[in-house]
Amino acid sequence: MKYIDLRSDTVTEPTQRMREAMMDAIVGDDVYEDDPTMKELEEYAANLVGKEAALFVPSGTFANQLAIFTWCNRGDEVILPHDCHVVMHEVGAASVIAGVQLRSMPAINGQMNPQMVKEAIREDDIHYPETGLICMENAYSDGTVLPLEHMQEIYAIAKAHDIPVHLDGARVFNAVTALKVDAKDMLRYTDSVMFCLSKGLCAPVGSILAGSKEFIAKARKKRKLLGGGMRQVGMLGAAGLIALKEMRLRLIEDHDNAKYLAEELDKIQGIEVIKDALDINMVFFKITDERLEAQLTEENFFKNGIKINPAEGGLMRFVCHYYINKSDIDKVLGVINEMRRY
């Protein structure tokens, strides 16, 4: 049975073109930097985002933690939004791997108050840790996109204090698609950036960490320390090249499908769509009718060939991606309307 999977854009499987490219990939030992396909991917990725160099890693969490580990000394402090991915969904890794503490700032849709960020930067005092890094996230995991003006303001504060800025850009191409800008225009306000090849881009594995040549050289050694040095990894690199060259260019389709889904969901009595969180391919909504809430369970959706995640913090999330089309959305809407009748 083919399921309609709305849980996340991480569920996308490799396309047929990717599978063929992976099978035919020319490979070598990447720890020796002998894998030509991986070298091509890293060079292409760096050029795409306006950085000097790039490094392939197994996952987005790996990339974020590697960035923190590379930028910071043990005992440093990292300033970042209170509900960003690094804080909420990376298992406290920064304290374990880099030995840093996170100074989380109140944020609205990922936007920290610039004055609060400025005041949070540590002075030179025997009692204080050093502020080692400032992190932002774009697109944000709540479905919104940070405006360039905000990124520019935070970056200016960081530069005034000689602090590097890292961007969790897991869905950075969704962000630039929504803002209608080139990735280089956004990422000039960062010193390092990570982005996923799997989230919505259909590559089976991997993320990219990009920055200066010096930063990536340090990160490469630390990647080895963390067990991320891989051998004939060009097969994954081949899929990553297609993800960046082709799949990122069609993300607007997922955004449009999400907007259609949101519009139709909002017409259903008992459902309230969060309308200010529709920048990318995600739809967040509340169920305001207790009877309907009792019906819209993972089990009931699964019986109808639909996979969803349970509500988190009172909100449900549906995510559109390459394998979700308009007819799939219409089926989901039909199932919800049928559930309303019970």
Side-chain angles (χ1 to χ4, degrees):
M1 181 177 183
K2 177 187 178 294
Y3 284 89
I4 298 170
D5 199 335
L6 297 170
R7 292 174 298 174
S8 177
D9 46 10
T10 62
V11 303
T12 51
E13 297 178 0
T15 64
Q16 185 61 33
R17 283 244 314 123
M18 284 182 179
R19 293 173 187 271
E20 293 168 0
M22 291 168 70
M23 182 175 65
D24 295 335
I26 301 172
V27 300
D29 190 322
D30 190 50
V31 174
Y32 287 116
E33 298 185 50
D34 284 347
D35 192 303
T37 307
M38 184 50 63
K39 290 175 77 169
E40 181 185 355
L41 170 63
E42 290 173 342
E43 182 178 350
Y44 183 87
N47 290 335
L48 182 63
V49 298
K51 301 299 182 188
E52 290 181 344
L55 187 67
F56 179 86
V57 297
S59 71
T61 295
F62 196 119
N64 280 333
Q65 295 304 322
L66 179 59
I68 295 170
F69 190 32
T70 303
W71 282 121
C72 296
N73 296 314
R74 297 187 72 81
D76 278 358
E77 193 166 71
V78 179
I79 296 172
L80 70 183
H82 75 283
D83 58 351
C84 68
H85 196 275
V86 170
V87 173
M88 299 295 290
H89 296 292
E90 298 191 3
V91 209
S95 64
V96 177
I97 296 170
V100 300
Q101 65 181 24
L102 303 181
R103 191 161 188 190
S104 56
M105 297 284 102
I108 299 173
N109 295 336
Q111 296 185 48
M112 299 177 285
N113 181 296
Q115 185 60 35
M116 290 183 69
V117 171
K118 189 182 299 185
E119 292 172 357
I121 294 172
R122 297 291 190 166
E123 299 174 359
D124 185 12
D125 187 289
I126 194 171
H127 302 93
Y128 294 163
E130 300 285 337
T131 301
L133 185 65
I134 297 175
C135 291
M136 292 185 280
E137 182 178 328
N138 207 11
Y140 212 62
S141 53
D142 67 354
T144 61
V145 169
L146 305 186
L148 292 190
E149 295 77 15
H150 176 77
M151 293 185 64
Q152 183 178 14
E153 192 169 5
I154 298 297
Y155 189 69
I157 292 168
K159 294 301 100 180
H161 292 82
D162 197 27
I163 298 169
V165 172
H166 171 69
L167 182 72
D168 175 351
R171 295 182 177 88
V172 74
F173 299 111
N174 292 94
V176 298
T177 297
L179 291 172
K180 299 179 181 178
V181 299
D182 189 276
K184 294 176 183 177
D185 294 330
M186 173 190 289
L187 298 175
R188 67 180 61 181
Y189 305 122
T190 67
D191 296 298
S192 64
V193 59
M194 90 81 169
F195 49 91
C196 293
L197 302 172
S198 56
K199 288 188 175 73
L201 301 184
C202 292
V205 177
S207 291
I208 295 289
L209 180 63
S212 68
K213 288 181 180 178
E214 181 184 8
F215 171 79
I216 292 299
K218 291 179 180 178
R220 185 179 293 276
K221 186 166 186 176
K222 289 181 181 291
R223 181 187 70 170
K224 176 66 174 171
L225 183 156
L226 294 174
M230 293 170 281
R231 301 300 179 178
Q232 288 73 26
V233 76
M235 288 182 288
L236 298 178
L241 280 164
I242 293 174
L244 294 183
K245 290 182 177 181
E246 299 177 16
M247 302 305 289
R248 69 181 174 87
L249 301 176
R250 56 149 307 278
L251 290 174
I252 188 63
E253 298 172 27
D254 300 336
H255 293 198
D256 290 344
N257 281 336
K259 287 178 174 60
Y260 171 71
L261 172 59
E263 289 170 3
E264 296 304 312
L265 275 175
D266 207 46
K267 295 175 183 177
I268 299 174
Q269 187 174 354
I271 289 179
E272 179 186 335
V273 171
I274 310 303
K275 297 185 179 65
D276 62 354
L278 290 170
D279 292 340
I280 55 172
N281 59 326
M282 299 178 178
V283 180
F284 289 84
F285 60 95
K286 298 177 184 176
I287 305 172
T288 58
D289 183 292
E290 290 184 2
R291 281 181 33 187
L292 181 59
E293 185 176 23
Q295 291 297 321
L296 299 186
T297 64
E298 289 177 87
E299 293 76 16
N300 283 344
F301 274 105
F302 192 78
K303 289 174 186 175
N304 285 277
I306 302 164
K307 294 181 181 181
I308 67 164
N309 280 329
E312 183 176 347
L315 292 178
M316 294 194 72
R317 184 188 78 167
F318 289 169
V319 183
C320 294
H321 50 77
Y322 181 67
Y323 292 102
I324 299 293
N325 56 41
K326 203 167 181 181
S327 64
D328 294 326
I329 293 170
D330 287 336
K331 178 181 177 180
V332 171
L333 294 165
V335 167
I336 294 173
N337 278 311
E338 188 66 29
M339 289 179 184
R340 277 192 70 247
R341 297 190 177 95
Y342 288 96

